Amino acid sequence: MSNPLAPFDIDGQDFSDCVKQGGLRWKKYDLESQKAGRARDTQMHRLILGKKRQLAVSCRRLTDTRARQLATALDKETVTIRFPDMRNGITTKTFYGTEIDGGVWGVLNGVLKWDNVTFSLTEV
């Protein structure tokens, strides 16, 4: 069941158990027009076209089964993520991601474990 205070759902599937404590980093950035920038008089001229989010996620140690479920859920052109947003509270947005990275930790009690799994998502 998704953590009501810190959900991390991918296309409606709960993956909050995969995110390690302190492992969800949130970023808001402005998309600016090419006409934005500093003029010769040193004045800054901003022309914000939109505001987007980026999420950087670090996972706790995962079983091979759970790591495969996560990698499969992220392996789409876009994904819908429900997450805690620093500005808007719990929100849902569409993201894309191009990389997921992790290392084999080893085998424990006959189960393959993955460690240091990380990925980044950028709002569409």
Side-chain angles (χ1 to χ4, degrees):
M1 181 173 162
S2 183
N3 182 330
L5 298 177
F8 189 78
D9 299 346
I10 303 171
D11 291 332
Q13 263 189 290
D14 178 22
F15 284 94
S16 59
D17 64 303
C18 296
V19 180
K20 74 178 183 180
Q21 186 171 352
L24 178 61
R25 299 204 38 89
W26 173 94
K27 178 180 179 180
K28 190 258 331 158
Y29 64 96
D30 297 334
L31 293 175
E32 301 210 33
S33 165
Q34 291 180 343
K35 295 179 182 180
R38 197 164 299 281
R40 289 181 184 237
D41 64 1
T42 73
Q43 289 292 97
M44 183 64 164
H45 301 278
R46 297 195 70 196
L47 182 54
I48 298 172
L49 301 175
K51 296 174 184 293
K52 297 293 179 179
R53 304 295 194 268
Q54 284 184 328
L55 302 175
V57 182
S58 299
C59 297
R60 64 179 187 80
R61 189 171 298 146
L62 302 172
T63 65
D64 185 56
T65 299
R66 195 61 171 146
R68 286 172 179 256
Q69 291 169 343
L70 177 64
T72 299
L74 292 169
D75 194 20
K76 299 175 189 163
E77 191 170 323
T78 62
V79 289
T80 302
I81 306 291
R82 187 168 75 98
F83 64 100
D85 183 285
M86 191 185 305
R87 191 159 187 286
N88 300 323
I90 305 304
T91 192
T92 302
K93 293 188 176 285
T94 302
F95 292 82
Y96 68 91
T98 57
E99 295 180 358
I100 183 170
D101 181 53
V104 172
W105 175 82
V107 176
L108 181 64
N109 297 325
V111 177
L112 179 66
K113 301 280 188 159
W114 289 86
D115 204 13
N116 299 316
V117 174
T118 61
F119 56 94
S120 296
L121 299 166
T122 302
E123 185 181 357
V124 173

